[in-house]
């Protein structure tokens, strides 16, 4: 497609309707039209497998589906069939359904490093419950989070640390402190500075780089020596790193961990899991003060739990994690070769574990650039590739990867021209994309 001819008139109209009725025009800031080139933010009609169609009739190969949640592809038959079976049996009752114990048993068999689990609907429910539980168990007020990881929760203890802190009292934000990933000495200095005040250390066990040797085990020892609760946020690493998460892959057991994203393949389900001694404080069979751990009307809807069980069975029986890695390795190699052949290998940089690839767009000085990201996204979109990241789903096939690499090569040619001109503006088609976390709209 010619970038000048590619138009999305129905999507543009729908985006206006969305903004008129919904603050931000989307229910997740990362899905906002400010994250896409001007007038090129497709509004989705439907999806199947690794493809989605917009309301203008264009088909795209999609990456990062559902903000990394749809790892098996859209409308996966095993998942939809499991959900369909439960829909005719009722979804929510005045007492627990038998599906709740079955889902718990299935989850704890998949993640054997945990002893108890409680389900919810989104990741923020689970991470905030973990923080509350850590504060209750330790009697300490402060939360220490990893400064190098982008998101933990919609709740005040985290959002207050971002540029979008409007409406959050500084007294709340002051209770959150930060430590750098991979640096045990700096973390110990932080714990000494706030001696006996830090309730927990919360981090993603891995992201775009592998943990330094001994780091996670060292962090666990450090947390326990200082009386802190160690929390792994496995929203992304869960299933994509291994079926049992990064904790299973690296062999380091946290006190608490949180799962979501891939757990439901797009259906709303998350999980807080961990040591019985801690988790039971949110239950009825202990003698201490009660902790309001998780209590959600829709947290155990039967169809979402059925989806989660189907996802876990599919991963185990079909070797999905290995497939995600193989697809990602093929894609990364193709993108790197295409970028290098067009002379932009130092400017379009693919990073991360093969199952969770992202890319950086760097300017002529090799600094991150929203303008060059806009150029790259625009070229991908007009070539039929919807890729805010290169996070793969198992529904992709070799033809999808090959087409993606061909489109990337075309995008790299335009990128090279912009670098040579030292000005990407003619290739933007309007305002550049913007960071999600910023102070002003």
């Amino acid at each position: 497609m010619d970038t000048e001819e590619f138009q999305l008139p129905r999507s543009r109209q729908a985006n206006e309707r969305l903004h008129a009725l919904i603050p931000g025009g989307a229910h997740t800031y990362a899905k906002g039209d400010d994250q896409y080139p001007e007038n090129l933010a497709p509004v989705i009609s439907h999806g199947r497998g690794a493809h989605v169609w917009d309301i203008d009739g264009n088909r795209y190969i999609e990456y990062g589906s559902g903000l990394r949640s749809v790892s098996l592809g859209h409308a996966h038959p095993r998942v939809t069939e499991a959900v369909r079976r439960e829909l005719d049996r009722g979804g929510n009752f005045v007492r627990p359904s038998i599906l709740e114990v079955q889902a718990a048993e299935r989850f704890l068999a998949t993640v054997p490093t945990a002893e108890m689990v409680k389900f919810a609907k989104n990741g923020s429910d689970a991470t905030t419950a973990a923080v509350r539980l850590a504060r209750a168990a330790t009697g300490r007020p402060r939360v220490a989070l990893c400064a190098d990881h982008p998101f933990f929760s919609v709740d005040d203890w985290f959002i207050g640390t971002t540029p979008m802190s409007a409406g959050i009292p500084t007294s709340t934000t002051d209770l959150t402190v930060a430590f750098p990933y991979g640096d045990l000495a700096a973390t110990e200095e932080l714990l000494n500075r706030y001696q006996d005040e830090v309730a927990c250390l919360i981090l993603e066990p891995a992201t775009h780089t592998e943990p330094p040797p001994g780091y996670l085990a060292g962090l666990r020892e450090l947390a326990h020596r200082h009386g802190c609760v160690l929390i792994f946020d496995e929203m992304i690493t869960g299933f994509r790193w291994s079926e049992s998460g990064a904790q299973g892959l690296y062999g380091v057991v946290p006190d608490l961990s949180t799962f979501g994203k891939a757990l439901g393949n797009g259906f709303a389900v998350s999980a807080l899991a961990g040591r019985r001694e801690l988790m039971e404080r949110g239950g009825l069979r202990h003698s201490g003060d009660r902790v309001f751990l998780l209590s959600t009307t829709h947290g155990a809807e039967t169809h979402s739990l059925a989806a989660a069980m189907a996802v876990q069975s599919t991963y185990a029986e079909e070797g999905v994690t290995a497939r995600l890695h193989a697809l990602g390795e093929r894609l990364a190699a193709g993108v790197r070769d295409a970028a290098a052949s067009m002379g932009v290998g130092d400017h379009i940089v693919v990073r991360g574990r093969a199952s969770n690839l992202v890319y950086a767009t760097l300017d002529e000085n090799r600094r991150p650039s929203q303008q060059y990201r806009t150029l790259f996204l625009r070229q991908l979109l007009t070539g039929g590739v919807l890729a805010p990241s290169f996070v793969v789903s198992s529904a992709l096939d070799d033809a999808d990867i090959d087409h993606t690499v061909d489109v990337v090569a075309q995008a790299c040619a335009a990128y090279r021209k912009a670098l040579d001109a030292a000005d990407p503006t003619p290739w933007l088609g309007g305002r550049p994309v913007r960071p999600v976390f910023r102070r002003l709209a």
Side-chain angles (χ1 to χ4, degrees):
M1 287 179 236
D2 189 312
T3 58
E4 297 305 316
E5 296 177 358
F6 186 65
Q7 302 291 328
L8 300 176
R10 293 180 179 175
S11 291
R12 289 178 63 181
Q13 293 171 4
N15 275 312
E16 289 302 313
R17 291 165 58 198
L18 284 162
H19 279 282
L21 302 172
I22 300 165
H27 285 87
T28 313
Y29 285 114
K31 295 184 182 183
D33 59 4
D34 61 336
Q35 302 301 294
Y36 291 84
E38 190 169 4
N39 298 323
L40 287 187
V43 175
I44 303 302
S45 164
H46 63 286
R48 182 165 295 277
H51 301 114
V52 294
W53 287 258
D54 67 26
I55 60 174
D56 291 281
N58 300 297
R59 187 183 82 156
Y60 306 87
I61 301 168
E62 187 194 43
Y63 293 89
S65 309
L67 304 181
R68 294 182 171 90
S69 67
V70 184
S71 63
L72 300 178
H74 300 291
H76 188 277
R78 290 187 66 169
V79 178
T80 55
E81 178 55 34
V83 169
R84 192 175 290 114
R85 282 197 302 270
E86 293 305 322
L87 290 177
D88 290 333
R89 293 162 48 84
N92 207 338
F93 313 107
V94 76
R95 280 281 293 149
S97 75
I98 189 62
L99 212 65
E100 293 177 44
V101 70
Q102 293 168 350
E105 289 169 345
R106 186 70 180 88
F107 180 89
L108 294 172
T110 303
V111 187
T113 43
E115 296 173 327
M116 297 187 81
V117 63
K118 198 160 191 183
F119 297 108
K121 302 308 287 184
N122 60 65
S124 296
D125 290 341
T127 54
T128 291
V131 165
R132 185 186 304 116
L133 183 55
R135 282 171 160 165
T138 62
R140 298 174 178 181
R142 295 190 187 275
V143 177
L145 57 80
C146 184
D148 300 305
H149 298 162
F151 187 80
F152 289 102
S153 174
V154 301
D155 294 297
D156 289 2
W157 63 269
F158 171 71
I159 293 296
T161 68
T162 75
M164 294 177 71
S165 60
I168 300 173
T170 55
S171 57
T172 297
T173 306
D174 288 346
L175 293 176
T176 301
V177 295
F179 61 92
Y181 187 78
D183 190 335
L184 292 175
T187 306
E188 182 156 32
E189 191 279 327
L190 179 78
L191 293 174
N192 286 330
R193 189 189 326 154
Y194 297 105
Q195 187 71 41
D196 299 328
E197 293 183 35
V198 176
C200 60
L201 302 176
I202 182 169
L203 73 158
E204 295 181 65
T207 53
H208 307 322
T209 58
E210 287 292 292
Y215 171 65
L216 294 177
L219 196 67
R220 180 181 58 189
E221 189 278 329
L222 189 61
H224 291 178
R225 180 154 44 88
H226 283 264
C228 304
V229 174
L230 180 62
I231 305 170
F232 281 178
D233 178 348
E234 297 241 39
M235 292 296 158
I236 294 173
T237 54
F239 298 95
R240 284 193 180 274
W241 263 241
S242 81
E243 293 161 29
S244 55
Q247 59 193 276
L249 180 66
Y250 300 126
V252 176
V253 182
D255 298 305
L256 299 171
S257 56
T258 60
F259 288 76
K261 300 288 190 184
L263 180 58
N265 199 52
F267 286 91
V269 59
S270 63
L272 169 65
R275 290 196 292 116
R276 180 176 300 277
E277 176 189 358
L278 282 171
M279 294 288 288
E280 194 63 88
R281 287 173 175 262
L284 299 175
R285 298 185 174 183
H286 68 100
S287 58
D289 291 342
R290 296 188 69 189
V291 177
F292 194 93
L293 185 59
L294 275 169
S295 183
T296 54
T297 298
H298 301 289
E301 286 175 321
T302 55
H303 67 274
S304 292
L305 295 183
M309 287 191 285
V311 166
Q312 291 166 85
S313 296
T314 302
Y315 264 78
E317 294 168 19
E318 299 183 12
V320 172
T321 301
R323 175 165 173 78
L324 292 174
H325 281 88
L327 286 165
E329 287 167 0
R330 180 183 173 100
L331 176 62
V335 171
R336 287 171 181 144
D337 287 348
S341 68
M342 295 294 174
V344 295
D346 292 333
H347 300 274
I348 295 175
V349 182
V350 180
R351 296 171 176 164
R353 194 171 182 84
S355 60
N356 190 56
L357 295 171
V358 297
Y359 58 81
T361 51
L362 310 181
D363 64 15
E364 53 273 9
N365 298 311
R366 299 183 186 175
R367 293 176 302 198
S369 168
Q370 297 285 20
Q371 287 189 308
Y372 279 96
R373 179 174 174 83
T374 307
L375 179 158
F376 192 59
L377 279 170
R378 186 177 178 85
Q379 297 290 324
L380 294 182
L381 282 164
T382 58
V385 176
L386 181 56
S389 70
F390 283 142
V391 176
V392 297
S393 75
S394 65
L396 291 159
D397 60 25
D398 289 348
D400 293 323
I401 301 294
D402 291 344
H403 179 75
T404 301
V405 172
D406 288 343
V407 172
V408 166
Q410 297 168 28
C412 290
Y415 208 108
R416 182 67 259 171
K417 291 178 183 177
L419 287 169
D420 291 340
D423 180 14
T425 306
W427 288 270
L428 302 188
R431 54 103 183 106
V433 300
R434 307 189 70 187
V436 168
F437 287 114
R438 58 184 192 269
R439 189 171 68 86
L440 301 176

